[in-house]
Amino acid sequence: MSDDKAGVYPVPAEWAHAKIDAAGYREMYRRSVEDPHGFWTEHGRRIDWIKPFTRTGDWSFDAEHFGIAWFADGTLNVSANCLDRHLATRGEQVAILWEPDDPAGEGRSLTYRALHDEVCRFANALKSLGAGKGSRITLYMPMIPETTVAMLACARIGAIHSVVFAGFSPEALAGRIQDCDSTIVITADEGRRGGKTVPLRANVDEALTHCNSVEHVIVVRHTGGGGAPKEDGREHDYAALVAAASPDCPPEEMAAEDPLFILYTSGSTGKPKGVLHTSGGYLVWAAMTHEIVFDYRAPEVYWCAADVGWVTGHSYIVYGPLANGATSLMFEGVPNWPDASRVWQVVDKHRVTIFYGAPTMLRALMREGDQWVARTERSSLRLLGSVGEPINPEAWEWYHKVVGGGRCPIVDTWWQTETGGHMITPLPGATALKPGSATLPFFGVVPELVDAEGKLLEGAAEGNLVLATSWPGQMRTVWGDHARFFQTYFSAYPGKYFTGDGCRRDADGYYWITGRVDDVINVSGHRMGTAEVESALVAHPKVAEAAVVGMPHAVKGQGIYAYVTLNAGETGDEALRAELVRWVRHEIGPIAAPDAVQFAPGLPKTRSGKIMRRILRKIAEGEVGSLGDTSTLADPKVVDDLVANRVPAA
Ligand code: 6R9
């Protein structure tokens, strides 16, 4: 990590007008932690309530009184906050500005009024298929406006959506449908990405051979590929449903703590967790962070380049921006197609002022050379954001100088699926920046560092990052497994929420996230549980055992390194290596494909049979000189073989 003082970027003079300056941040932060009830009584009113709340945070992280609730006696509807309340003031403003995969293709935009109309119709259609408060509806969708419509239509009738990233395999989709017993699946005939099509409807068909909870499948005809929906009572055409439905759909009155969505995320075990977010606290958090961290001013064009299938898309393409009356750009394509200029061409075309992307994308574009950026203007940009993984100072400097022309602050936002929204982040008008540091906590966030025994570390220190208090956007449970929620996040350091991240705090109190300390690896900003990849590998008939660790990767941040022990009689050759990579892609999805597969006659185990991952990590990282103590291994010789047969990344 770079020297703390080496590159400090003070708040630029042009940002003196920002809503919150340095003194404002300090004062608001102090109030948020010293008088949380007063603070959240004020900021909870950023959104519209049907019945106003009188309570704010009711929570305890202790085993005995464990529970988390915010604004619990208030009622609201999230879709009404994202739509109805803007109709009088900005009904004709564009809400969703859609840029298609093909730069020559026809874009689309939906005004707040048009979005409201379509959401109401589709909400009525969902009702006619039996959905209502508490129903679970799975979305397996490309990046098209109908995806936003479907999310808001669920919110309007109180149904709980579970968006599954469209890059996941039919098997992974089936597991996520079954876990929450969805009765409706919404998909499209095909998605488009980088000039290729993705067979979404065919994947759903395959997934449904394993799922019996699903009664209805709704298909958006997007590319026209793959034939018309069957209309057989189970399969329905989205456009036909919308056309037949009434545009009059009063929003369902929901309690603040009624569920809004489930989003599956990888953890340390093989089974993905259904992270549950509720309505009131989540929306307050998404809206407040979107406005303050991005200094958002309607009707500017704002672009979050994440996929709606991840939490970043939920909070910062859909809920936060629409609650704030923003124009939110939605991009169907990929950053490097047709060429490495595309992202910046889209910025110019739509006069984007705020751009929010992931370090992995920046590193991939940086490799292609500055000329792709230089041929665009980017004069509309005033703020840049980063999310998903630590941003290396080199990529930060490139983003700042080459993309932002040295004018735009960068907000490096640290947060998680579990936190609902930004947690540690600069505020552009308030925080001096240090490349690679997520800087300081957002309002109401109390980060602490602890050592492995849970001892609180003071001052400049490095340790495990925990959060000492609750915040409105916090997840409330793991779907169907409340005990796992407590066990995963609150048992390691009693009374605190454990993030799973390592972190350093410097002498100025700035936080530097160092990456996961659990068995989660961060591939291109996407979370992958090593156990998930391992169980896919051992499901292959030739594989006896597998251990998966992260390795440094120039573009992805971390790559996937798999050690595989074969069944007796099998030979580990190039063909089998390629087959195993294909196998994992098929079982989970392309993001889980190993970057390196090493065939190993044995894995390093303790005498009690535990795989020593520390050693496997070191070998994968190429640090074979510092393996540490190997004397506790059952058979120390296996390490020599592993070192001798280390494989380079593909
Ligand atoms: C929003 C999102 C969460 C994990 C998190 C951490 C890593 C995210 C980061 C960052 C350093 C940042 N992470 N943002 N690390 N700096 N600005 O990415 O959610 O997919 O749940 O991942 O990503 O390791 O614990 P999610």
Side-chain angles (χ1 to χ4, degrees):
M1 206 59 69
S2 65
D3 179 11
D4 297 346
K5 296 282 180 198
V8 177
Y9 291 76
V11 173
E14 310 85 275
W15 280 80
H17 65 276
K19 289 179 185 156
I20 297 172
D21 63 8
Y25 165 74
R26 280 193 297 273
E27 170 52 24
M28 260 176 92
Y29 182 77
R30 190 193 55 72
R31 183 154 171 256
S32 74
V33 294
E34 287 175 8
D35 173 23
H37 180 67
F39 185 87
W40 290 112
T41 299
E42 180 186 333
H43 288 281
R45 295 188 186 131
R46 287 173 168 274
I47 62 171
D48 282 357
W49 297 84
I50 298 171
K51 175 169 164 285
F53 60 87
T54 66
R55 309 199 57 85
T56 54
D58 288 306
W59 59 271
S60 166
F61 291 171
D62 292 327
E64 270 171 48
H65 310 104
F66 182 66
I68 301 163
W70 281 87
F71 313 113
D73 60 349
T75 66
L76 77 163
N77 181 280
V78 169
S79 93
N81 269 281
C82 292
L83 300 168
D84 308 49
R85 75 161 167 163
H86 304 309
L87 293 181
T89 48
R90 54 180 89 250
E92 309 322 315
Q93 182 196 312
V94 173
I96 298 290
L97 178 55
W98 183 69
E99 171 69 21
D101 185 47
D102 179 357
E106 208 174 312
R108 264 153 69 194
S109 56
L110 285 174
T111 62
Y112 274 95
R113 197 170 308 286
L115 184 61
H116 175 264
D117 180 81
E118 191 157 329
V119 167
C120 288
R121 289 172 184 272
F122 190 54
N124 279 328
L126 290 174
K127 278 197 214 166
S128 73
L129 298 179
K133 223 181 225 186
S135 310
R136 272 85 60 207
I137 299 184
T138 295
L139 275 63
Y140 185 68
M141 300 280 284
M143 287 286 288
I144 53 176
E146 287 82 355
T147 307
T148 304
V149 172
M151 291 165 77
L152 294 174
C154 289
R156 195 157 192 93
I157 63 172
I160 306 168
H161 61 68
S162 163
V163 182
V164 177
F165 175 58
F168 277 120
S169 68
E171 283 74 12
L173 170 63
R176 287 157 174 78
I177 291 173
Q178 282 163 335
D179 185 75
C180 65
D181 296 308
S182 288
T183 50
I184 297 180
V185 175
I186 308 171
T187 189
D189 49 3
E190 294 176 320
R192 266 199 198 102
R193 277 170 63 80
K196 304 194 185 85
T197 54
V198 189
L200 298 179
R201 178 182 169 211
N203 286 353
V204 169
D205 277 345
E206 195 179 328
L208 292 192
T209 59
H210 314 292
C211 309
N212 45 30
S213 59
V214 176
E215 293 158 15
H216 299 283
V217 178
I218 302 169
V219 183
V220 176
R221 300 204 67 193
H222 176 48
T223 66
K230 289 195 278 287
E231 299 291 356
D232 56 359
R234 185 169 89 159
E235 206 173 66
H236 310 267
D237 175 28
Y238 170 92
L241 287 177
V242 166
S246 152
D248 180 25
C249 181
E252 191 75 36
E253 180 171 356
M254 305 297 289
E257 286 299 333
D258 281 336
L260 179 64
F261 66 82
I262 301 168
L263 188 55
Y264 286 89
T265 189
S266 295
S268 318
T269 69
K271 191 171 176 259
K273 291 187 288 277
V275 168
L276 185 90
H277 281 287
T278 57
S279 303
Y282 170 80
L283 192 67
V284 167
W285 196 253
M288 181 174 178
T289 50
H290 173 263
E291 185 190 325
I292 292 177
V293 173
F294 296 124
D295 185 59
Y296 183 76
R297 292 148 193 267
E300 286 178 316
V301 179
Y302 150 94
W303 180 13
C304 166
D307 192 284
V308 161
W310 310 111
V311 73
T312 307
H314 283 57
S315 300
Y316 298 112
I317 295 176
V318 179
Y319 290 113
L322 298 183
N324 290 335
T327 296
S328 183
L329 192 146
M330 190 177 199
F331 176 45
E332 186 186 27
V334 297
N336 56 1
W337 186 84
D339 63 45
S341 255
R342 182 71 194 277
V343 172
W344 321 121
Q345 285 165 3
V346 173
V347 165
D348 283 352
K349 175 173 171 190
H350 297 293
R351 304 295 298 161
V352 171
T353 59
I354 302 164
F355 177 78
Y356 190 33
T360 185
M361 178 200 82
L362 299 173
R363 287 191 297 265
L365 295 179
M366 189 167 87
R367 274 217 308 203
E368 302 292 324
D370 298 0
Q371 71 276 16
W372 299 102
V373 189
R375 64 177 62 156
T376 61
E377 273 183 32
R378 290 155 286 105
S379 56
S380 54
L381 287 175
R382 64 180 188 89
L383 180 70
L384 301 169
S386 174
V387 59
E389 55 180 315
I391 179 165
N392 47 313
E394 194 194 357
W396 195 102
E397 299 283 357
W398 184 81
Y399 201 19
H400 188 255
K401 283 199 190 69
V402 180
V403 174
R407 297 184 329 273
C408 309
I410 297 178
V411 288
D412 174 2
T413 60
W414 174 83
W415 59 293
Q416 312 178 295
T417 305
E418 293 88 338
T419 71
H422 303 150
M423 298 295 282
I424 300 181
T425 175
L427 304 187
T431 317
L433 306 173
K434 299 184 189 186
S437 172
T439 76
L440 300 171
F442 191 74
F443 306 117
V445 175
V446 183
E448 289 179 353
L449 302 181
V450 294
D451 68 12
E453 279 71 52
K455 190 165 83 57
L456 193 64
L457 305 172
E458 310 276 357
E462 181 162 347
N464 293 333
L465 179 63
V466 299
L467 301 168
T469 62
S470 182
W471 63 98
Q474 185 169 25
M475 74 180 280
R476 300 298 198 262
T477 191
V478 171
W479 179 261
D481 199 347
H482 200 54
R484 186 172 175 201
F485 178 49
F486 181 83
Q487 176 61 30
T488 307
Y489 302 101
F490 304 93
S491 65
Y493 305 107
K496 323 247 174 193
Y497 167 85
F498 177 41
T499 63
D501 280 319
C503 182
R504 183 167 67 85
R505 185 173 47 222
D506 71 18
D508 296 326
Y510 275 43
Y511 291 86
W512 302 71
I513 308 294
T514 54
R516 302 290 303 195
V517 294
D518 54 9
D519 290 327
V520 171
I521 43 191
N522 193 325
V523 187
S524 302
H526 302 315
R527 277 163 69 161
M528 225 31 260
T530 53
E532 235 172 306
V533 184
E534 287 164 5
S535 41
L537 283 167
V538 295
H540 188 280
K542 293 185 179 167
V543 173
E545 195 169 31
V548 166
V549 297
M551 63 187 271
H553 189 288
V555 172
K556 298 179 180 181
Q558 277 191 301
I560 299 179
Y561 194 108
Y563 296 88
V564 172
T565 305
L566 297 173
N567 289 326
E570 303 293 350
T571 348
D573 53 15
E574 282 312 313
L576 183 54
R577 196 171 264 143
E579 183 181 324
L580 291 178
V581 173
R582 266 200 313 275
W583 174 268
V584 177
R585 287 176 75 95
H586 180 262
E587 290 285 302
I588 306 176
I591 55 169
D595 298 280
V597 176
Q598 174 169 357
F599 295 111
L603 296 174
K605 290 188 188 165
T606 61
R607 271 157 240 213
S608 64
K610 269 211 163 112
I611 295 176
M612 299 264 282
R613 288 168 183 282
R614 175 176 57 79
I615 293 174
L616 295 177
R617 266 185 224 120
K618 290 278 184 199
I619 297 173
E621 285 163 8
E623 291 184 21
V624 292
S626 57
L627 293 182
D629 184 12
T630 56
S631 62
T632 54
L633 288 174
D635 177 9
K637 279 197 302 294
V638 298
V639 172
D640 300 336
D641 176 84
L642 290 176
V643 170
N645 294 302
R646 192 176 165 267
V647 295

